């Protein structure tokens, strides 16, 4: 299989099942933004692969599952209306995120003010991924009623998780959070 097909040279791309749409179609924007977030999560994980902390293996395993699920979210967004979704998102994926949020947040100091995205490169990149997921969520909302409520809930919860994950990674790697101070 060749990487280039030349079928997109005129500004269109294929959804799952071959339906052609413009590359700036709302569906393409939404699943493309999920792909962008997934890439940022991969970048964050590359920053911690040589770091050592107690939960490193569990963190990497959790993010591997999240990246796989986020790929499935993108696939669901790329499936035309009325067609069968090949990798349908399950509510259990949202519950897994909630359990991770609760577990990791329980180890963090309480927030007393807003924090600035910063810290270890992995933590900072997770903050970037969080903002990209928020953009994907806005894109999915703009599509309207054709988007699964589970997709919307997953993206919402994923951005919450990435905020907690950035804080968790920064704490585990000895990076202090920078609070926002009014001047």
């Amino acid at each position: 299989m060749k990487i280039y097909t030349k079928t997109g040279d005129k500004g269109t791309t294929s959804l799952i099942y071959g339906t052609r749409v413009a590359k700036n179609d709302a569906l393409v924007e939404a699943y493309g933004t999920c792909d962008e977030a997934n890439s940022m999560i991969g970048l964050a994980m590359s920053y911690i692969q040589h770091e050592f902390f107690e939960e490193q293996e569990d963190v990497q395993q959790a993010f591997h599952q999240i990246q796989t699920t986020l790929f499935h979210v993108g696939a669901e967004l790329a499936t035309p209306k009325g067609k069968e979704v090949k990798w349908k998102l399950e509510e259990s994926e949202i519950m897994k995120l909630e359990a991770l949020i609760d577990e990791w947040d329980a180890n963090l100091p309480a927030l007393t003010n807003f924090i600035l995205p910063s810290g270890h490169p992995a933590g900072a990149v997770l903050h970037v991924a969080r903002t990209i997921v928020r953009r994907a969520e806005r894109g999915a909302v703009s599509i309207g009623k054709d988007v699964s409520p589970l997709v919307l809930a997953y993206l919402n919860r994923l951005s919450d998780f990435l905020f907690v994950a950035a804080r968790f990674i920064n704490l585990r790697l000895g990076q202090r959070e920078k609070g926002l101070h009014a001047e």
Side-chain angles (χ1 to χ4, degrees):
M1 183 170 111
K2 285 188 173 187
I3 294 297
Y4 61 92
T5 62
K6 301 182 183 182
T7 58
D9 290 353
K10 294 183 180 171
T12 64
T13 191
S14 289
L15 299 176
I16 295 176
Y17 296 105
T19 302
R20 303 285 305 171
V21 296
K23 288 187 177 185
N24 65 349
D25 185 272
L27 289 171
V28 178
E29 285 289 336
Y31 75 69
T33 306
C34 288
D35 186 38
E36 189 180 342
N38 213 338
S39 295
M40 281 296 177
I41 292 169
L43 177 60
M45 291 305 95
S46 75
Y47 283 127
I48 68 165
Q49 69 184 359
H50 299 294
E51 299 284 352
F52 297 100
F53 57 97
E54 186 179 329
E55 303 94 340
Q56 180 190 18
E57 190 174 314
D58 293 339
V59 166
Q60 288 179 320
Q61 186 176 19
F63 273 105
H64 178 78
Q65 179 60 49
I66 287 165
Q67 285 187 280
T68 300
T69 303
L70 190 53
F71 185 84
H72 292 172
V73 167
E76 191 160 335
L77 289 166
T79 302
K81 182 180 178 183
K83 298 286 187 175
E84 181 183 351
V85 175
K86 292 181 181 183
W87 292 306
K88 197 169 184 80
L89 186 64
E90 301 290 333
E91 190 168 353
S92 62
E93 295 302 327
I94 298 165
M95 294 168 60
K96 288 176 191 174
L97 280 179
E98 290 172 350
L100 280 172
I101 291 168
D102 293 343
E103 178 185 340
W104 292 8
D105 192 50
N107 293 293
L108 297 172
L111 283 174
T112 57
N113 58 318
F114 289 106
I115 59 168
L116 298 173
S118 59
H120 187 276
V125 171
L126 288 172
H127 278 296
V128 174
R130 170 185 56 81
T131 65
I132 294 169
V133 169
R134 285 286 187 211
R135 183 163 27 99
E137 181 184 14
R138 291 189 302 272
V141 166
S142 74
I143 295 166
K145 62 180 167 68
D146 293 336
V147 174
S148 162
L150 290 176
V151 165
L152 295 176
Y154 186 83
L155 292 172
N156 186 39
R157 210 71 78 252
L158 180 57
S159 63
D160 294 337
F161 168 75
L162 290 169
F163 177 77
V164 169
R167 294 187 70 217
F168 183 81
I169 293 297
N170 280 336
L171 179 70
R172 287 300 183 258
L173 297 177
Q175 298 292 311
R176 288 191 55 211
E177 295 175 331
K178 293 180 182 177
L180 180 64
H181 302 291
E183 299 197 44

